[in-house]
Amino acid sequence: MNNAVDLKGRNFITLKDFTPEEITYLLDLAEKLKTDKKKGITGHSLAGKNIALIFEKPSTRTRCAFTVGCVDEGGHPEYLGTNDIQLGHKEDIKDTARVLGRMFDGIEFRGFRHSTVETLAKYSGVPVWNGLTDDYHPTQILADFLTMREHLGSLSGKKLCFLGDGRNNMANSLMIGCTKLGINCCIIAPESLWPNGELIAQCREYGKKSGAELAFSKDRDAVKDADVICTDVWASMGEEAKAAEREKILSPYQVNAELMKETGKDTTIFMHCLPAIKGKEVTEEVFESKASVVFDEAENRMHTIKAVMVATLGKRS
């Protein structure tokens, strides 16, 4: 672990803001914190710290990961749902940010508009962490990469294929993280659901530095030689009205046993950020197969989120 990296006081909004060395540092720190926890060792780096957990969107993994990670390090998490505060309703977001920044030492936000988490970061004066927005899901990518390291041994040069809605927050964030760390990334989706051109251009620039290839395909056979097959629900939270339309155009991209065989590798792993709608984007057979590492991924949300809080807010040991 590179102890020269110092992220104290930084926000964690998108992986665009972090160098490959900083991302690797967070993964190394998460690995250490996970090893310690397995030995029954927890820390005190967040002792005396109060953490606000703002949730516009409900969550299992994000809420539990921030709560357990905070408590493990001696901090106090406070859950704030849509009925608990006036975020963007009776009070401007920037005003809420300034109030919470006077009372809390760090703020997590999980919700819809990405501009909300950016406003919280701009006005609160304390570290702000993105638990998910419509545009990005950076804490999930850290968990994905830690899981890949555990099962594949390394990241650079590996090939990850994402199938499904190629312009959702998971596809966006995987593109950024992969091209930063030298992981070859292929988005397999109908052209109408490919990411926006500006982000693609930005990620290609990252890839020039890391050696990562970024590819897009309408055809399932692009999964050949993939080390990782990844998918997500076809309609994200807030897009439920589009579920039937998405199912019609994305059903050819379902991750099933046949598709897993098309990689040509018996070591390919399957990942999903969860919750999964089994029988839609992935079959029960693949979800429950030995290739599936989805619950390692889910556990690693906690270890990587803990690493983010410790690195940006915790007392250095």
Side-chain angles (χ1 to χ4, degrees):
M1 187 164 63
N2 186 355
N3 291 318
V5 174
D6 185 0
L7 302 181
K8 192 69 177 291
R10 293 271 296 275
N11 299 308
F12 190 76
I13 306 299
T14 166
L15 291 178
K16 291 180 184 180
D17 302 329
F18 292 82
T19 67
E21 293 74 23
E22 290 169 338
I23 297 170
T24 300
Y25 170 79
L26 289 170
L27 295 175
D28 291 343
L29 178 57
E31 185 177 293
K32 179 186 182 301
L33 293 169
K34 182 174 182 176
T35 299
D36 285 348
K37 186 174 174 69
K38 298 297 183 185
K39 295 176 181 177
I41 302 169
T42 52
H44 306 282
S45 71
L46 298 178
K49 303 295 185 183
N50 292 289
I51 308 299
L53 306 179
I54 303 175
F55 281 79
E56 285 184 337
K57 291 184 177 182
S59 167
T60 299
R61 281 146 295 279
T62 304
R63 178 176 178 177
C64 294
F66 270 100
T67 299
V68 175
C70 180
V71 171
D72 274 356
E73 288 295 318
H76 171 76
E78 184 68 29
Y79 178 81
L80 301 171
T82 53
N83 294 323
D84 298 316
I85 57 175
Q86 305 291 345
L87 186 71
H89 299 295
K90 292 183 180 179
E91 184 172 59
D92 287 345
I93 294 168
K94 65 181 182 180
D95 293 349
T96 299
R98 287 178 284 192
V99 170
L100 295 180
R102 299 290 184 101
M103 299 182 182
F104 290 93
D105 302 288
I107 299 170
E108 176 274 347
F109 173 80
R110 178 184 173 93
F112 294 94
R113 292 192 301 269
H114 190 71
S115 60
T116 301
V117 75
E118 292 178 324
T119 301
L120 289 169
K122 182 176 180 179
Y123 289 98
S124 68
V126 300
V128 172
W129 310 300
N130 179 5
L132 174 145
T133 63
D134 286 344
D135 293 342
Y136 303 110
H137 198 359
T139 60
Q140 179 65 51
I141 305 312
L142 290 182
D144 291 355
F145 288 174
L146 181 59
T147 306
M148 287 172 62
R149 287 205 327 191
E150 291 172 345
H151 287 272
L152 303 176
S154 63
L155 296 177
S156 183
K158 295 296 188 290
K159 178 180 177 180
L160 180 148
C161 290
F162 178 90
L163 292 92
D165 182 358
R167 39 99 273 172
N168 75 2
N169 49 25
M170 275 301 298
N172 289 344
S173 296
L174 281 168
M175 282 171 47
I176 297 166
C178 286
T179 52
K180 288 256 186 180
L181 293 191
I183 302 165
N184 299 318
C185 180
C186 183
I187 305 296
I188 304 173
E191 278 191 68
S192 61
L193 292 177
W194 286 4
N196 74 68
E198 183 180 349
L199 181 61
I200 290 173
Q202 197 169 15
C203 290
R204 289 203 192 281
E205 288 301 311
Y206 299 148
K208 288 179 182 178
K209 295 179 181 178
S210 70
E213 294 181 4
L214 179 60
F216 301 88
S217 179
K218 298 178 292 182
D219 302 317
R220 285 166 48 114
D221 58 11
V223 300
K224 183 172 172 49
D225 297 325
D227 298 288
V228 183
I229 296 293
C230 187
T231 191
D232 192 8
V233 293
W234 288 336
S236 300
M237 276 184 277
E239 294 186 330
E240 288 79 7
K242 298 181 179 180
E245 172 194 336
R246 291 284 171 76
E247 183 175 345
K248 183 177 180 179
I249 63 174
L250 288 175
S251 56
Y253 299 91
Q254 181 189 69
V255 178
N256 49 39
E258 179 186 357
L259 182 131
M260 294 296 290
K261 289 178 183 177
E262 288 175 13
T263 68
K265 293 185 175 183
D266 58 10
T267 54
T268 304
I269 60 175
F270 168 73
M271 298 201 306
H272 192 305
C273 62
L274 303 183
I277 304 178
K278 287 170 272 187
K280 300 296 184 182
E281 72 271 9
V282 60
T283 61
E284 180 91 23
E285 181 182 9
V286 171
F287 188 88
E288 298 293 348
S289 71
K290 66 178 183 179
S292 176
V293 296
V294 297
F295 295 109
D296 292 341
E297 229 182 320
E299 178 190 341
N300 283 338
R301 290 296 305 287
M302 190 266 289
H303 303 298
T304 48
I305 280 172
K306 187 193 294 186
V308 169
M309 290 190 290
V310 168
T312 58
L313 182 61
K315 300 170 187 173
R316 294 180 73 88
S317 58

